[in-house]
Amino acid sequence: MGRIRDEAPQNTSHRAAAVPGPHRIAVLALPGVPPFELGIPSRVFGSAQDAEGRPLYEVTVCTADGSAVLSDAGFTVQPAAGPEALAAADTVVVPPTHAMPELGRGGPLPPEVTAAVARIRPGTRLVSICSGSYVLAAAGLLDGRPATTHWNLAPEFRRAYPAVRVDEEVLFVDDGDVLTSAGVAAGVDLCLHIIRRDHGAAVANRTARMCVVPPWRDGGQAQYIDRPVPDPAIADTSATRAWALDHLGEPLPLGRLAEHARMSLRSFTRRFRDEVGMTPVQWLTAQRLELAKQLLETTDLSIDLVAHRAGFGTANSLRAHMRAALGVSPASYRRTFGTDDRAEDRREDRADGRVAGLR
């Protein structure tokens, strides 16, 4: 699972099913926008469909004043709408701009952009891709909040916006109603994460297959930061990670993983962190949570059996991990994203309440 920083409990207030019709997304194209990042929301969200093939999102590209803007590739982008799309949106996505260097010094937004951003309704979900975070920060929308941007820009970003809590090691940060991603392809990761949050893993996985991209990626930005090139003669941990994914329901102590990789514990741990950007234990927990979520969504297995198959051992352990990572119990997650509402889930809720009362 791509490494994320999730500062807020699982938030389902933006689920498309909560409002009639597709969830409305406005993508704000600014001068100097890179075409690839601009196209990510339309391509990914536009591929998300329900079980009957109906679109789950309606994506509109707009500009601050309704006029065409020049991309950083040298061609113009003719928007479908002006700033009125921002006022009507349920989610606003801001791709990067390479034509506002003053933002790198903490300078103000152009007046027309400030006026356009001011039209966004309170409670609208805000999303940035790569250095689109500069726009949100310059508008004061990231003050006091966790956020990320491209790792190479993190030192500059910190200097320009000291009120923002920057984490350059993650692929994206989910802070509930404000989500930020790292560079380029991390925008794809974030869009898939939003679909998963809105509609569950099955829809997100189906969308990923349509886009021919992985549903999630291992690790965070740490694996992309400049560092000495590893000796190619040294074995990597990719084969062991693939093997572990097929054995998540089994005990996987660090020693067993290192033995499979034919490395010492110390070498394996160091190599794993260099490649993935997190410890083996953190990675295993993330993979097991992902498997548990899929089982809760797509099967009617009991919570105990889900916990066993995902490698958590007991239902209490699964509850504790899901509450820590997502802010919800397994039963609540199943009711939100699954198709089954069984008496056992009500019993699990009571059990979850007893566990919480003992803390």
Side-chain angles (χ1 to χ4, degrees):
M1 180 177 181
R3 188 179 176 201
I4 71 170
R5 180 169 178 171
D6 193 340
E7 296 280 335
Q10 183 78 1
N11 184 336
T12 59
S13 62
H14 295 285
R15 292 181 68 209
V19 295
H23 185 98
R24 295 164 299 185
I25 296 178
V27 183
L28 179 59
L30 297 170
V33 63
F36 182 87
E37 287 90 327
L38 176 62
I40 287 172
S42 297
R43 187 68 184 90
V44 178
F45 289 115
S47 299
Q49 300 177 345
D50 65 15
E52 283 71 45
R54 294 183 295 250
L56 294 169
Y57 299 92
E58 176 185 287
V59 185
T60 301
V61 175
C62 66
T63 58
D65 58 5
S67 301
V69 296
L70 183 65
S71 74
D72 75 344
F75 58 80
T76 58
V77 175
Q78 182 64 51
E84 69 279 359
L86 300 175
D90 302 305
T91 294
V92 170
V93 181
V94 183
T97 167
H98 294 160
M100 298 181 186
E102 64 276 11
L103 299 186
R105 300 185 292 272
L109 292 168
E112 68 276 11
V113 178
T114 299
V117 171
R119 299 186 66 162
I120 300 173
R121 292 176 291 117
T124 300
R125 182 165 56 191
L126 302 175
V127 179
S128 69
I129 296 175
C130 193
S131 59
S133 54
Y134 280 71
V135 177
L136 298 184
L141 298 171
L142 297 182
D143 287 355
R145 308 191 73 147
T148 193
T149 191
H150 193 290
W151 62 266
N152 196 41
L153 299 174
E156 175 188 84
F157 192 92
R158 280 196 179 88
R159 289 192 297 270
Y161 306 103
V164 183
R165 292 152 45 202
V166 183
D167 184 352
E168 68 270 33
E169 292 194 353
V170 295
L171 292 176
F172 55 84
V173 171
D174 180 344
D175 194 34
D177 59 344
V178 178
L179 301 93
T180 52
S181 77
V184 193
V188 176
D189 298 317
L190 180 52
C191 290
L192 288 171
H193 169 75
I194 291 170
I195 295 171
R196 187 177 298 113
R197 198 179 90 169
D198 287 350
H199 299 284
V203 174
N205 292 348
R206 189 163 62 243
T207 303
R209 286 195 297 272
M210 288 297 296
C211 295
V212 199
V213 295
W216 64 84
R217 287 192 293 157
D218 289 342
Q221 290 195 79
Q223 60 189 307
Y224 302 108
I225 296 174
D226 285 337
R227 54 168 54 93
V229 176
D231 183 349
I234 300 176
D236 66 22
T237 66
S238 58
T240 297
R241 296 199 304 273
W243 172 82
L245 289 175
D246 291 331
H247 296 80
L248 290 176
E250 305 172 15
L252 293 174
L254 188 57
R256 188 179 179 191
L257 296 174
E259 181 181 2
H260 183 274
R262 298 181 180 179
M263 299 181 192
S264 69
L265 280 174
R266 183 175 179 181
S267 295
F268 177 77
T269 302
R270 182 176 63 250
R271 184 77 178 186
F272 194 102
R273 189 167 194 126
D274 285 346
E275 292 175 7
V276 180
M278 63 176 77
T279 68
V281 172
Q282 290 170 330
W283 180 85
L284 268 177
T285 300
Q287 305 310 314
R288 284 171 163 159
L289 277 172
E290 192 62 34
L291 176 57
K293 286 159 59 180
Q294 291 186 32
L295 292 173
L296 289 168
E297 292 177 34
T298 60
T299 75
D300 62 355
L301 296 174
S302 69
I303 305 299
D304 283 302
L305 203 50
V306 169
H308 176 73
R309 290 196 180 180
F312 288 107
T314 67
N316 281 346
S317 176
L318 175 59
R319 288 190 199 100
H321 279 93
M322 288 196 71
R323 281 215 166 271
L326 306 175
V328 297
S329 69
S332 296
Y333 185 89
R334 171 172 269 163
R335 275 198 304 276
T336 301
F337 294 118
T339 58
D340 196 2
D341 184 11
R342 301 173 303 135
E344 187 206 356
D345 286 344
R346 293 189 287 275
R347 292 197 298 273
E348 292 294 335
D349 271 346
R350 291 195 292 272
D352 187 63
R354 289 195 295 273
V355 171
L358 293 174
R359 292 189 185 126

